[in-house]
Amino acid sequence: MNKKLALMPLVLLAGTSLSGCIAAAIPAIAGSAMVGSRVVDGDGKEAAAKPAPVAAVPAPKPAPAPAPVQPKPAPVPTVTLVPVPPAPAPAPVPAPTPRPVAIPAPAPAPVIASAPVIAPAPAPVAAAVVPAATPAARPALPAVASYPDPDRPLPPEQAGFARFVRYGHASARGAAGGADLPSAVLTDPVALDGKRRRCAVGEQLVAVIDLDPAGGVFAPPANPAKLPSLALGLAVLREAGVEIAWLSDMPVNQSGSLRAALEQSGLDPRGEDIISLRRDGEDGKQQRKENLAGIACIVAIAGDERPDFDERFKYLLNAEAGAGIEPLIGDGWFLIAPLLGN
């Protein structure tokens, strides 16, 4: 019997029952041995060996994908802080020694001989003292206490003119000292109470002379005589800062002849005085005086009758009605004789 065929059932039996009857299968194959790929039986003969069945090997599991290799971060250099010693403080610079400044002593205040000198109280040391500004010196006004000049006496009828000059000069002195001056023009155009306007500080002072004779109109003489004594009084007023204004109802177109008469007589030798003449039939002297008083201070008025001072004298029924304004005669209003012989 072919031994190869005899061994086949045993092999098959061992393959099917190997799991449960391993001990029963071992004697069946104990009489033969496997050497390499050949089988030798008990007689020593070599039998062709069949390859043993290969058990099913499960498929290998796929190897897991390798984890991505993260690049190693670059090593951070280690910084070692070394304390730095503080810089030495700069040596203090000595402050410059202030140089002494010489302060001039204040100039002594002017002393007025006519006023008592009072020692000022000492000012506090800590307070700053600002000296007051010294007012500008005013020019000295000429003295006219002896006017008229004895060498050039006035005619007796011109005593009022001398008072007129002295009053105007005294007004100028008062204005230079800051006095509150009364005007020669009344405040109310109708009232008879004698109340006068007040001159504002710094207003130009004016002295008015009415040239018209009583009840008439002035006519300039062709060849007037020289009037040195009257001219001196007017020069005193001009030097004190008082302007002269000549007033008349003669028409304005005759101003040239009036200028010539005033220059030839010496009353206005330079032709610099004010001339106020009538421009038309309604341009009265009273209105022109009011206009002049609106831009200047009329301190004195001279004329040969009372209406030359204020026209309300024309409308008084009796002398007693003008008792309130009569005291101005000699105190702002002055009665004089006509200056150029009219």
Side-chain angles (χ1 to χ4, degrees):
M1 178 179 183
N2 192 348
K3 293 182 178 181
K4 293 181 182 180
L5 297 175
L7 290 175
M8 287 296 295
L10 294 175
V11 174
L12 294 174
L13 179 63
T16 57
S17 60
L18 182 60
S19 62
C21 300
I22 299 176
I26 292 175
I29 62 173
S32 63
M34 294 181 68
V35 179
S37 59
R38 295 183 301 171
V39 178
V40 180
D41 59 10
D43 294 332
K45 295 180 180 180
E46 182 180 350
K50 288 185 179 181
V54 181
V57 180
K61 294 182 179 180
V69 179
Q70 298 291 336
K72 294 184 179 181
V76 179
T78 303
V79 179
T80 303
L81 300 179
V82 178
V84 179
V93 180
T97 304
R99 300 176 61 185
V101 179
I103 301 176
V111 179
I112 301 175
S114 59
V117 179
I118 302 174
V125 176
V129 179
V130 179
T134 304
R138 297 178 181 272
L141 300 180
V144 294
S146 60
Y147 181 81
D149 187 353
D151 296 334
R152 287 176 286 182
L154 282 172
E157 67 272 14
Q158 291 296 357
F161 183 82
R163 291 192 291 271
F164 167 75
V165 171
R166 286 195 291 266
Y167 183 89
H169 187 271
S171 298
R173 292 183 67 89
D180 182 20
L181 298 181
S183 172
V185 177
L186 300 177
T187 302
D188 193 286
V190 178
L192 298 173
D193 53 10
K195 293 182 179 179
R196 298 191 274 181
R197 300 182 185 182
R198 311 304 296 183
C199 295
V201 177
E203 269 190 311
Q204 175 62 53
L205 305 184
V206 178
V208 175
I209 301 174
D210 192 301
L211 289 171
D212 293 338
V217 177
F218 177 72
N223 297 303
K226 293 290 186 181
L227 303 171
S229 57
L230 298 177
L232 177 62
L234 298 178
V236 169
L237 291 178
R238 294 189 192 99
E239 187 176 356
V242 181
E243 291 194 22
I244 310 301
W246 303 93
L247 189 64
S248 173
D249 266 342
M250 61 185 298
V252 69
N253 58 8
Q254 297 183 14
S255 60
S257 58
L258 175 58
R259 284 285 187 194
L262 294 174
E263 290 179 9
Q264 292 174 19
S265 63
L267 299 181
D268 182 17
R270 297 181 181 179
E272 60 187 10
D273 293 345
I274 299 170
I275 291 179
S276 178
L277 305 179
R278 180 186 292 273
R279 291 170 296 181
D280 53 43
E282 298 180 358
D283 187 21
K285 289 189 290 186
Q286 184 66 30
Q287 183 59 45
R288 282 181 272 140
K289 281 199 298 261
E290 294 286 343
N291 294 341
L292 181 58
I295 60 174
C297 176
I298 299 177
V299 293
I301 302 175
D304 63 345
E305 60 177 348
R306 282 171 172 78
D308 292 342
F309 310 135
D310 196 290
E311 66 179 5
R312 72 192 72 189
F313 276 106
K314 296 180 180 180
Y315 308 108
L316 298 179
L317 298 177
N318 50 60
E320 290 77 9
I325 57 177
E326 189 68 22
L328 273 72
I329 304 296
D331 185 19
W333 296 345
F334 299 90
L335 287 169
I336 63 172
L339 297 185
L340 289 174
N342 278 343

